[in-house]
Amino acid sequence: MRMQPQIDEATLLAMQQHMAQQAAFSQIPDVVKGFIVHFHQAVLNNNLGEITVAYESGWNKYTEKFYSRTEWPEAEVIAPLVNDDPIFLILYRELYYRHVYSRLQPNIDDRFHSYENSCELFNYLLNSDGPVQLELPEQWLWDIIDEFIYQFQVFCTWRSKVKSKTEDELMMLAEGGPVWSSYSVLNVLYSLIQKSRVNEYIVAQQEGKTPEEIAEIVGEYGQRPLYRMLGYFSIIGLLRVHVLLGDFTLALKVMDNVELNQKSSFTRVTACHVATYYYVGFCYIMLRRYPDALRTFVSVLNLIMRMRQYHTRSYQYDQISKTADRMYALFAICNALSPSRYDDNIANISKERYGEQFAKMARGGEESLAAFEELFLYACPKFISANPPPYDDPAAMSLLVAPPSPTDSPAQPNASPTSVDPTHRHLSLFLADVAAQAPVPTLRSFLKLYTSLGAKKLANFLDVDEEEIVQEMMLMKQASKHISRIGGSEKSSLLDGQSLISSDLNFVIADNMVHITESTVGRRYAGWFIKNTERTARIYDEIKNTPLPQPSKNANAIPAAAASAPAGGDVQTKGPRMGGHKVAWGGVKVA
Amino acid sequence: MTSSWLTPETRTELIEDLVSGVDRYNPSNVSILEDYLYHQIRSEEYDCLANLAILKLYQFNPELYNPDVVVNILLKALTACPLPDFNLCISLLDERTVSANLDEPDPLPSLLPILKGLHSLLYRCRFPAFWTAYRSEELETLRDNYTVECVGFENAVREVAIRAVKAAFTQISTERLGSYLELTGTDLQAYIQKLGWTIDASSSVISIPPNPDNQIEATIVQESISLPQLTKVISHAALKA
């Protein structure tokens, strides 16, 4: 029998793959194919308008319709539609993996490949011969950075769960090396900032330099909006990464040149704006600067409320809403630790959502700790550990998975694998601060009742030692002072500030006698009077300018002359009173 | 934070570049920062951000980890109370896997709870308790190996106490202050004199000079009405007239 020519295995595999791709291709709905072609054209033509439409509504529409539970077709499958354009395929993959991460569960291959794709994208942007001519909408640029960091963060969390890994995964992780390493992520962000010279751009703008001077300063990369915005968003990206790694001072420091106000560029993308304020506010909390945190949250929460009407359709709305809710929780925490009368509106909403926890936190004492913990865990960022478990060191791995016997050292909590994950490490630092302050609300309620009080008497009320009370009061005094950024000095670093008293109750101890004062808010009457004066003036003017009504023929003797005379001179007889304008006094002023 | 905390006068340009630039990530720069730390320890200086930079390098490069450096950083941070420095340092101490990297067993796991305890006492102004704990037998290792190297550690802790006392008291008994400072008799007198505080000889009550924190007065927050708010009202009245 004559042998058939052997087709070698490689060719066979290639043929099978090709057939599989063709099959997949034919399954793609025509509208999707059309969309991809159209999208590709828009990108090729740098047609920002079309790209934006395709990106913001087109992609989501087809995701909802065809791919809500599966992946989009792989890049290789749709490649023929776009003439194998490598750049578009990189961008397509960026969207493909974003979809996988958000709607489906990425497996280890997905994670590794999405990292490689990101590297290719940033390589293309940073290491081509000069700046690339590509143009993308700002929303997409922000999403690229945002997603990159998000994928990094979930990878770190997933990677730290040692016990649930399969053999294959363990092997891949052992050889993973720089995949999703902290250094590479930071490298990308810093490179984008440096290449675009965005910090120099911001400074030059603040100094009022001319466009020509600025162009000179930022160089050929910085002049292109794509690079400038990527640079800008990378600053916010660094803020976020440093917070995730627990470095709160460095996080605020990278923002040194960015002004936190409505005019700054980062406000152009709402999601970026919201994220910035969230992370800045959280840093302030970890720095014990509660008034600064409150101020930060209030300004962005007000903004979100105002913008709500424009954003309800957008897919970002959910994410923004969730972040807003976490900020209401953080607001409640800060308000409990450092009560202020800052913004009644936001405070009310916060109490609506977290009233129960707030009541416990504000009362202080042992029971408050659980409430603080609950809200902190809900609202805090998803902290990560900078380093992976030692997948490449088998000896260390075995120690990790099977801990040494407890006889080694009972005081070695750090060595056991059940030891603290980053979130709980930060939580316990926060709770230690809170616990230190826990006696303060009760103490304050007593002090409020007196203008002077013996320390011994106060100690008796609270059933503790006199010395204990005195030390507690030193703590209370300490807790009522916070470093605050003085308003109006917006150009200064976010870390700047001065120590200010933020409590309305103040006291001092003279040997064993406590003297107490309270600051109160005087009655505010100006606003009410001004408003009603202006309103009355308006009404008066209106009435004056309204012509008197025509007298009816059967009316009592009303001189015709008076009827047509405009009000101004003496009116000899009174016309009938104009109805309609009711004057209401004592109206409630809406905040 | 105050500008002297952000940028201490004693920080050199070299360190400033490291703290504010990208070179802080270069592992080979760690020895520069470590030397700077030892300089701080010997000369009673303090630079929080530079020390945090060391901890960050350790975070990314576990092979650089030096437990003695970490303990010293934490000791220095203790003396900055009530600033959050100590907590900021702990935030950067990621979990360490037990590795065969060190020649001797890692002292940090056993010292860390002790240091946290000391910090808690200082933060909560429990100064007598602090001194008791500090002098106890348990902390012998700490004293013999670390705080003895740190010049002026005990005085720095006393300054923490003084800061708290200054804010809360206008007058304080000698006995009470002595317990906060762990000083008695002539030492205490000398210390108080150096601060420039006066003791009333008969009652041995110390008077603390006025400062913004210990001068209290009841204030009423008046609203301030500014002219622009009144323009409409005034101009309307003027027109009418």
Side-chain angles (χ1 to χ4, degrees):
Chain A
M1 193 158 20
R2 188 156 170 263
M3 299 282 273
Q4 294 289 355
Q6 297 282 11
I7 307 177
D8 70 32
E9 214 171 303
T11 321
L12 190 62
L13 272 173
M15 276 172 60
Q16 284 176 335
Q17 217 177 31
H18 186 70
M19 279 163 53
Q21 275 183 1
Q22 280 200 316
F25 187 81
S26 60
Q27 288 191 339
I28 304 176
D30 282 335
V31 279
V32 175
K33 283 184 189 147
F35 166 70
I36 293 178
V37 170
H38 169 80
F39 198 178
H40 177 227
Q41 269 309 110
V43 169
L44 277 181
N45 298 338
N46 273 352
N47 185 336
L48 264 186
E50 286 296 322
I51 301 178
T52 310
V53 169
Y55 176 73
E56 288 191 8
S57 44
W59 178 270
N60 291 316
K61 183 170 79 179
Y62 293 113
T63 303
E64 283 305 323
K65 198 155 175 199
F66 299 108
Y67 302 112
S68 60
R69 273 195 276 274
T70 64
E71 299 103 338
W72 275 70
E74 287 190 20
E76 290 72 26
V77 171
I78 59 124
L81 286 172
V82 302
N83 291 328
D84 288 321
D85 176 3
I87 307 307
F88 182 79
L89 288 178
I90 293 179
L91 292 173
Y92 177 83
R93 277 197 204 92
E94 200 266 314
L95 294 174
Y96 169 90
Y97 282 115
R98 210 191 299 174
H99 172 67
V100 169
Y101 275 84
S102 75
R103 300 282 191 120
L104 316 163
Q105 280 284 44
N107 59 34
I108 188 170
D109 284 319
D110 291 325
R111 296 183 197 270
F112 274 55
H113 290 147
S114 70
Y115 173 76
E116 279 157 19
N117 190 51
S118 299
C119 288
E120 276 194 42
L121 175 60
F122 292 121
N123 224 352
Y124 165 67
L125 291 172
L126 291 167
N127 297 325
S128 301
D129 261 331
V132 302
Q133 298 304 308
L134 189 62
E135 278 178 38
L136 294 176
E138 287 176 5
Q139 179 69 51
W140 194 344
L141 295 175
W142 162 251
D143 286 336
I144 288 177
I145 304 285
D146 189 41
E147 181 70 16
F148 181 58
I149 300 175
Y150 169 69
Q151 291 180 1
F152 167 58
Q153 174 236 302
V154 292
F155 183 78
C156 288
T157 314
W158 174 84
R159 179 177 58 184
S160 64
K161 300 195 175 94
V162 175
K163 297 202 174 150
S164 54
K165 299 284 178 282
T166 67
E167 281 295 324
D168 281 340
E169 288 171 340
L170 288 173
M171 219 168 50
M172 275 183 88
L173 283 168
E175 292 161 11
V179 172
W180 288 125
S181 70
S182 313
Y183 263 143
S184 12
V185 172
L186 286 172
N187 193 19
V188 165
L189 297 172
Y190 276 109
S191 302
L192 284 169
I193 294 175
Q194 280 176 349
K195 204 81 168 185
S196 62
R197 298 198 210 157
V198 67
N199 276 319
E200 288 86 330
Y201 171 81
I202 298 175
V203 169
Q205 276 229 309
Q206 285 169 356
E207 291 173 354
K209 296 230 184 322
T210 66
E212 292 78 33
E213 287 173 313
I214 293 181
E216 178 78 34
I217 292 176
V218 300
E220 51 170 357
Y221 281 87
Q223 284 170 37
R224 297 197 58 80
L226 178 106
Y227 285 95
R228 187 173 346 120
M229 290 318 290
L230 276 177
Y232 213 103
F233 294 140
S234 295
I235 298 181
I236 313 296
L238 274 183
L239 161 70
R240 177 171 167 196
V241 172
H242 287 316
V243 172
L244 291 178
L245 290 169
D247 196 337
F248 307 109
T249 46
L250 192 57
L252 289 182
K253 202 165 164 42
V254 302
M255 295 281 291
D256 262 353
N257 294 318
V258 179
E259 283 184 32
L260 272 197
N261 60 34
Q262 312 290 55
K263 294 179 286 163
S264 276
S265 306
F266 67 79
T267 59
R268 301 217 285 254
V269 176
T270 314
C272 174
H273 193 173
V274 172
T276 308
Y277 277 77
Y278 168 77
Y279 285 103
V280 168
F282 191 83
C283 284
Y284 280 137
I285 294 184
M286 296 311 275
L287 286 169
R288 296 188 195 135
R289 291 168 63 158
Y290 307 118
D292 281 341
L294 282 168
R295 219 171 304 130
T296 313
F297 293 135
V298 161
S299 68
V300 76
L301 286 170
N302 274 322
L303 173 96
I304 295 177
M305 274 211 305
R306 283 199 299 270
M307 300 207 83
R308 208 167 28 192
Q309 38 185 325
Y310 304 116
H311 269 274
T312 40
R313 292 187 305 108
S314 129
Y315 64 94
Q316 301 155 22
Y317 180 65
D318 281 336
Q319 203 196 35
I320 294 179
S321 232
K322 264 178 80 177
T323 313
D325 198 48
R326 286 153 97 193
M327 288 194 280
Y328 280 113
L330 292 175
F331 180 92
I333 289 180
C334 294
N335 212 8
L337 289 171
S338 168
S340 69
R341 279 178 223 90
Y342 197 55
D343 184 311
D344 290 327
N345 215 4
I346 302 291
N348 286 337
I349 302 182
S350 172
K351 285 201 189 124
E352 255 174 69
R353 301 189 188 193
Y354 299 108
E356 201 189 306
Q357 294 93 334
F358 180 76
K360 288 196 198 137
M361 296 191 294
R363 264 202 303 273
E366 285 288 319
E367 301 80 37
S368 66
L369 293 180
F372 276 111
E373 174 164 348
E374 180 193 341
L375 291 189
F376 185 91
L377 285 177
Y378 168 64
C380 70
K382 308 270 185 291
F383 295 107
I384 54 179
S385 192
N387 289 312
Y391 287 111
D392 52 351
D393 180 350
M397 278 299 283
S398 54
L399 271 178
L400 200 61
V401 175
S405 62
T407 55
D408 265 0
S409 168
Q412 280 215 15
N414 288 5
S416 80
T418 53
S419 57
V420 196
D421 67 89
T423 304
H424 282 86
R425 178 158 38 97
H426 293 109
L427 171 70
S428 65
L429 286 173
F430 174 71
L431 285 182
D433 279 359
V434 166
Q437 261 188 252
V440 167
T442 320
L443 199 53
R444 181 186 288 141
S445 60
F446 274 101
L447 289 177
K448 259 186 143 92
L449 302 170
Y450 295 86
T451 47
S452 65
L453 176 62
K456 207 176 196 69
K457 201 163 167 196
L458 182 59
N460 280 338
F461 283 149
L462 292 163
D463 210 12
V464 289
D465 216 24
E466 185 187 334
E467 187 53 45
E468 175 87 14
I469 271 291
V470 167
Q471 291 172 12
E472 196 57 53
M473 290 208 285
M474 283 197 287
L475 168 66
M476 181 172 166
K477 194 80 183 205
Q478 193 175 274
S480 68
K481 281 187 356 176
H482 299 99
I483 308 215
S484 287
R485 234 176 131 227
I486 329 148
S489 58
E490 292 222 3
K491 286 232 171 54
S492 62
S493 161
L494 289 175
L495 281 169
D496 279 340
Q498 281 182 2
S499 195
L500 292 176
I501 300 234
S502 41
S503 161
D504 52 353
L505 190 72
N506 210 350
F507 66 87
V508 92
I509 309 177
D511 202 9
N512 283 318
M513 192 57 108
V514 185
H515 300 281
I516 303 146
T517 59
E518 216 176 320
S519 81
T520 49
V521 178
R523 261 188 89 182
R524 303 180 145 223
Y525 52 83
W528 192 90
F529 273 106
I530 292 177
K531 183 161 163 261
N532 282 295
T533 309
E534 285 176 15
R535 193 195 214 158
T536 319
R538 258 201 321 273
I539 294 172
Y540 178 73
D541 283 342
E542 248 174 84
I543 297 180
K544 266 173 75 170
N545 290 326
T546 317
L548 291 176
Q550 295 288 338
S552 60
K553 301 233 167 27
N554 303 340
N556 300 330
I558 299 173
S564 54
D570 289 340
V571 178
Q572 280 156 351
T573 53
K574 292 183 186 161
R577 182 171 183 268
M578 296 293 286
H581 296 293
K582 289 211 182 308
V583 177
W585 291 96
V588 176
K589 179 176 177 178
V590 176
Chain B
M1 312 333 229
T2 58
S3 48
S4 62
W5 183 90
L6 280 174
T7 316
E9 283 169 352
T10 47
R11 185 191 290 168
T12 61
E13 216 180 291
L14 171 63
I15 303 285
E16 171 67 35
D17 285 339
L18 280 183
V19 167
S20 308
V22 246
D23 278 330
R24 54 160 45 238
Y25 294 103
N26 188 343
S28 45
N29 286 329
V30 75
S31 45
I32 303 179
L33 291 166
E34 283 170 349
D35 287 341
Y36 182 47
L37 170 72
Y38 283 108
H39 173 79
Q40 292 169 49
I41 290 189
R42 284 188 304 265
S43 345
E44 289 190 76
E45 290 166 12
Y46 178 56
D47 189 343
C48 183
L49 292 184
N51 297 344
L52 288 175
I54 302 181
L55 293 178
K56 198 167 185 80
L57 276 171
Y58 288 175
Q59 203 187 22
F60 287 145
N61 304 285
E63 67 279 5
L64 293 178
Y65 172 73
N66 180 340
D68 289 337
V69 168
V70 177
V71 174
N72 280 316
I73 293 180
L74 290 174
L75 282 176
K76 274 296 196 181
L78 266 187
T79 63
C81 225
L83 290 179
D85 299 13
F86 188 82
N87 283 1
L88 291 176
C89 294
I90 307 272
S91 291
L92 287 177
L93 292 181
D94 276 358
E95 285 319 301
R96 305 205 38 77
T97 50
V98 181
S99 58
N101 197 308
L102 305 167
D103 307 318
E104 303 159 352
D106 187 354
L108 191 65
S110 48
L111 283 178
L112 197 56
I114 294 180
L115 288 168
K116 282 187 182 169
L118 289 179
H119 173 256
S120 171
L121 290 173
L122 277 185
Y123 183 58
R124 288 161 52 227
C125 301
R126 303 297 196 262
F127 303 118
F130 172 86
W131 292 113
T132 322
Y134 180 65
R135 298 288 175 205
S136 72
E137 240 186 77
E138 252 188 281
L139 270 71
E140 211 178 315
T141 342
L142 187 69
R143 289 197 305 274
D144 290 342
N145 295 337
Y146 297 101
T147 59
V148 68
E149 303 280 336
C150 184
V151 174
F153 175 73
E154 284 158 25
N155 274 338
V157 175
R158 290 192 179 106
E159 272 170 45
V160 175
I162 294 292
R163 281 199 285 272
V165 165
K166 248 174 46 174
F169 290 86
T170 47
Q171 290 175 322
I172 183 172
S173 72
T174 329
E175 205 183 313
R176 181 169 274 157
L177 188 62
S179 73
Y180 294 166
L181 299 177
E182 210 212 22
L183 291 172
T184 48
T186 41
D187 290 335
L188 182 58
Q189 307 278 348
Y191 195 89
I192 297 172
Q193 276 214 330
K194 215 163 58 149
L195 285 171
W197 294 0
T198 51
I199 313 182
D200 177 15
S202 53
S203 58
S204 75
V205 164
I206 306 164
S207 298
I208 299 171
N211 59 60
D213 290 322
N214 69 357
Q215 299 305 300
I216 58 170
E217 49 184 31
T219 50
I220 304 182
V221 179
Q222 292 280 23
E223 71 179 315
S224 59
I225 309 170
S226 60
L227 192 57
Q229 286 175 278
L230 293 172
T231 24
K232 268 176 115 172
V233 176
I234 297 179
S235 57
H236 187 271
L239 276 178
K240 188 171 168 307

